Amino acid sequence: MCGIWALFGSDECLSVQCLSAMKIAHRGPDAFRFENVNGFTNCCFGFHRLAVVDQLYGMQPIRVKKFPYLWLCYNGEIYNFKQLQKQFGFDFQTLVDGEVILHLYSRGGIEQTASMLDGVFAFILLDTANRKVFLARDTYGVRPLFKVLTDDGFLGVCSEAKGLINLKHSTSLCSKVEPFLPGHYEVLDLKPSGKVASVELVKFHSCKDEPLHVACDTVEALPSGFDLETVKSNIRILFENAVRKRLMAHRRIGCLLSGGLDSSLVAAVLLKLMKEINVNYPLQTFAIGMENSPDLLAARKVAAHIGSEHHEVILNTEEGIQAIEEVIFSLETYDITTIRASIGMYLVSKYIRKKTDSVVIFSGEGSDELTQGYIYFHKAPSPEEAAEESERLLKELYLFDVLRADRTTAAHGLELRVPFLDHRFTSYYLSLPAELRIPKNGIEKYLLRLSFEDSNLLPKEILWRPKEAFSDGIASIKKSWFSILQDYIDQQVDDLLLEKAVEKYPFNPPKTKESYYYRQIFEKHYSGRSSWLPHYWMPRWVKATDPSARTLKHYKSATQE
């Protein structure tokens, strides 16, 4: 995990512009480099480093003797770099996983490069010999990337939008800053003046397509067919492989553990694999919640079962409320459910950074979207519509859960790893018949639970624990976290303000005081940037006025059963 930043064709003094690069310093607390591009005085790279792999030679932009005309700034982890090196006979100069991007590009161009990378990434690749700039981002946007491109060819690129919004340019303050789309690469021509012109934006991978890099995966061809035992076995094999490949790190590994199915499965498989490769430290797991909240109690049970070194962070209401503004600043969104869920994750990440030496943090993001884990999937009109909704949610992850997971951890210099969003695991799961993937017997994620039922990885009551939204599970059964927030915000927003909300905020107008409060804070830091959120996250097929699962009729806590 790190922060990348680059400018091409800047009219302003680069020493002034580079102040914007410091807005993302939290993403790389270990080192910073600012480097001009030879022959282009108005082009430069900025890089904030969190040293996780190759602590000696990992500074960026990466340049190697074999390709002196290539400059690479990337944020991410390429899990199959050693397999690619072996398959193509690449001669690496460093131990940095990202170096493989330079070799792949030199061998087969940008299309093959992006398609063959098994991992999470956002990168800027400059080819001065052919006068090209390339941008690319992984399938689910696990690693963030934003860009701004003016009509006269000034390009700014950054891991977070906050590193671009204050850039200066002769024509104006920078025009539209927007997220770079996941699963895409862009080709731009670099002119002698340092300015650029976009040539094409190409989608190189869809979540349903088996990725090209399967050809050099460590797990070979799986048994075909959709009989239940084969499917369950394949799910276990691919999920374990997804966790195993993410063990690549020279820093201590930890795991977020809410006690729900997803994080519990990740933690259990992670600890099992760490033992297999004789990692010489215990796995630290981290839970956050109010005293005796459902998440704390369940996480405690899981930690005892798997034998992790467990840490509990007790959330008090005042601390959570005080964190709202810094959370919204970190997130760059005003989405209601994203902010609610981010407060707990932000505070537990803060604890990890201050109190432990764990840096690489595993988490369960992506499972709800992939395996139809949201409560409202029980109301899907048909298996086919449920499958379509699952794909829609996966495509929008970069706006919601993946955004939350990245920003709340990166704000404290941690690197997040999300095995449920492994390319091969997700494409296999989405290839299964729609009927197999829907909730069954009143239980969401039925197929995933069933696949691990005989593994003894988790206690049965955790494996079959009903879905809790993270923002709900950290509070008590009696009073949800969203209710606590709403009670506080009710006192902060006047009724009259809410009545005039549509006039003040015509795009995505707030409909509740809570929503209005978040929007006010967002506009304070990112005025006029409301289009970053195309729509609020809300459940489908139900008449919901709030995104919390606890407002849906289907919801019942484990204590009420």
Side-chain angles (χ1 to χ4, degrees):
M1 199 279 296
C2 56
I4 60 175
W5 181 88
L7 300 184
F8 297 90
S10 174
D11 291 341
E12 297 291 324
C13 173
L14 291 179
S15 59
V16 174
Q17 298 280 49
C18 81
L19 293 174
S20 286
M22 302 315 293
K23 295 283 180 69
I24 59 161
H26 51 272
R27 297 191 69 89
D30 294 333
F32 171 68
R33 178 183 283 175
F34 183 76
E35 192 166 334
N36 286 10
V37 178
N38 304 344
F40 295 91
T41 55
N42 58 358
C43 301
C44 62
F45 288 93
F47 177 68
H48 295 276
R49 185 174 190 217
L50 178 69
V52 172
V53 175
D54 193 353
Q55 294 175 321
L56 186 59
Y57 293 109
M59 275 308 281
Q60 297 186 34
I62 296 174
R63 304 183 68 205
V64 295
K65 289 175 184 173
K66 192 171 183 181
F67 313 116
Y69 51 91
L70 296 181
W71 304 60
L72 173 68
C73 223
Y74 90 106
N75 170 22
E77 298 79 46
I78 311 303
Y79 304 122
N80 64 342
F81 77 106
K82 287 182 179 174
Q83 291 96 299
L84 290 168
Q85 180 185 25
K86 188 177 176 184
Q87 179 163 334
F88 298 120
F90 294 148
D91 181 19
F92 283 5
Q93 191 175 306
T94 72
L95 300 175
V96 180
D97 50 297
E99 186 186 333
V100 75
I101 295 170
L102 300 175
H103 295 268
L104 280 172
Y105 169 73
S106 176
R107 181 186 181 275
I110 190 64
E111 174 85 39
Q112 188 194 57
T113 302
S115 303
M116 288 299 286
L117 298 176
D118 182 7
V120 294
F121 56 86
F123 69 74
I124 308 153
L125 176 62
L126 168 64
D127 179 346
T128 54
N130 293 293
R131 296 259 169 104
K132 298 284 184 192
V133 177
F134 303 96
L135 309 178
R137 191 176 180 192
D138 67 75
T139 304
Y140 297 108
V142 174
R143 291 293 175 262
L145 194 66
F146 286 81
K147 74 163 199 178
V148 60
L149 180 59
T150 64
D151 292 341
D152 67 339
F154 167 54
L155 173 69
V157 188
C158 189
S159 295
E160 298 181 20
K162 56 181 67 71
L164 299 175
I165 57 174
N166 293 320
L167 289 175
K168 301 291 187 292
H169 192 59
S170 57
T171 52
S172 64
L173 273 168
C174 265
S175 47
K176 195 177 180 186
V177 174
E178 54 192 2
F180 188 83
L181 288 174
H184 286 70
Y185 68 80
E186 185 170 12
V187 183
L188 303 107
D189 281 334
L190 178 66
K191 298 172 184 176
S193 64
K195 306 279 188 187
V196 302
S198 181
V199 177
E200 59 177 345
L201 179 68
V202 178
K203 186 171 190 175
F204 66 85
H205 186 234
S206 294
C207 51
K208 281 178 78 172
D209 300 336
E210 186 175 70
L212 204 60
H213 55 68
V214 165
C216 57
D217 200 351
T218 48
V219 170
E220 293 173 9
L222 294 166
S224 56
F226 296 130
D227 65 279
L228 195 55
E229 290 309 310
T230 299
V231 167
K232 283 161 56 180
S233 171
N234 288 348
I235 286 171
R236 287 193 302 272
I237 290 167
L238 288 177
F239 184 68
E240 192 166 300
N241 185 48
V243 176
R244 183 183 287 107
K245 67 178 76 163
R246 284 164 174 76
L247 288 170
M248 179 182 91
H250 295 157
R251 301 289 286 273
R252 184 167 184 163
I253 290 170
C255 188
L256 298 180
L257 179 59
S258 71
L261 173 68
D262 310 326
S263 63
S264 299
L265 268 181
V266 171
V269 173
L270 176 58
L271 194 132
K272 170 178 173 264
L273 296 176
M274 285 171 71
K275 282 180 180 172
E276 284 178 14
I277 60 170
N278 298 313
V279 171
N280 63 358
Y281 56 80
L283 173 67
Q284 294 180 327
T285 51
F286 304 94
I288 186 167
M290 293 177 177
E291 289 277 10
N292 296 318
S293 62
D295 277 6
L296 279 191
L297 298 175
R300 205 175 293 163
K301 195 173 287 185
V302 175
H305 183 84
I306 66 175
S308 64
E309 179 194 301
H310 191 55
H311 296 242
E312 290 185 355
V313 180
I314 304 300
L315 173 69
N316 68 62
T317 305
E318 192 178 324
E319 187 183 18
I321 285 167
Q322 281 178 349
I324 293 172
E325 179 154 356
E326 56 194 271
V327 165
I328 292 173
F329 176 73
S330 292
L331 292 175
E332 304 173 335
T333 187
Y334 52 95
D335 180 63
I336 304 161
T337 192
T338 303
I339 294 166
R340 287 177 186 168
S342 293
I343 293 168
M345 200 163 178
Y346 183 87
L347 292 172
V348 77
S349 298
K350 188 176 185 179
Y351 169 90
I352 295 168
R353 185 70 191 175
K354 281 187 171 180
K355 305 284 189 181
T356 79
D357 57 350
S358 287
V359 173
V360 175
I361 306 297
F362 280 67
S363 190
E365 270 71 32
S367 176
D368 284 324
E369 292 76 10
L370 177 67
T371 66
Q372 303 184 15
Y374 293 115
I375 299 292
Y376 72 85
F377 273 98
H378 290 281
K379 304 292 184 185
S382 69
E384 291 70 31
E385 285 189 61
E388 283 174 22
E389 174 67 357
S390 180
E391 287 170 42
R392 182 189 72 83
L393 289 170
L394 286 166
K395 285 171 189 167
E396 292 190 345
L397 265 173
Y398 76 105
L399 297 166
F400 301 108
D401 277 26
V402 153
L403 179 149
R404 164 180 57 78
D406 173 80
R407 300 301 196 288
T408 54
T409 50
H412 302 290
L414 304 176
E415 176 178 297
L416 192 79
R417 299 205 173 164
V418 282
F420 274 108
L421 291 176
D422 181 78
H423 299 164
R424 193 167 178 194
F425 180 72
T426 54
S427 66
Y428 175 75
Y429 206 96
L430 294 172
S431 75
L432 299 173
E435 179 61 40
L436 264 184
R437 292 182 274 146
I438 58 171
K440 286 189 172 64
N441 305 331
I443 299 169
E444 64 285 340
K445 294 189 253 200
Y446 187 82
L447 177 60
L448 181 65
R449 297 174 197 271
L450 200 63
S451 298
F452 287 92
E453 189 172 39
D454 300 323
S455 66
N456 197 35
L457 281 168
L458 295 172
K460 287 283 191 284
E461 65 269 29
I462 298 295
L463 188 64
W464 296 95
R465 183 188 175 200
K467 165 72 183 164
E468 275 266 29
F470 182 52
S471 57
D472 294 333
I474 62 172
S476 68
I477 290 294
K478 292 174 185 172
K479 193 155 191 178
S480 284
W481 175 232
F482 79 89
S483 301
I484 293 165
L485 285 170
Q486 286 172 344
D487 287 351
Y488 166 75
I489 290 165
D490 262 351
Q491 310 301 313
Q492 311 302 312
V493 178
D494 190 81
D495 291 346
L496 197 61
L497 286 174
L498 188 60
E499 283 172 28
K500 295 185 175 179
V502 179
E503 294 169 36
K504 191 169 184 182
Y505 305 121
F507 183 77
N508 279 341
K511 293 180 180 172
T512 64
K513 286 188 175 182
E514 183 187 10
S515 179
Y516 190 96
Y517 185 72
Y518 298 156
R519 183 64 171 272
Q520 270 188 319
I521 296 171
F522 174 84
E523 293 289 343
K524 174 181 166 184
H525 296 287
Y526 306 111
S527 179
R529 314 279 182 177
S530 59
S531 63
W532 290 346
L533 178 70
H535 61 86
Y536 292 105
W537 193 100
M538 288 292 279
R540 293 190 67 194
W541 307 308
V542 288
K543 290 179 180 175
T545 55
D546 190 283
S548 170
R550 287 198 183 179
T551 64
L552 303 182
K553 283 183 183 176
H554 185 88
Y555 173 80
K556 54 180 179 178
S557 76
T559 61
Q560 293 170 316
E561 290 179 340

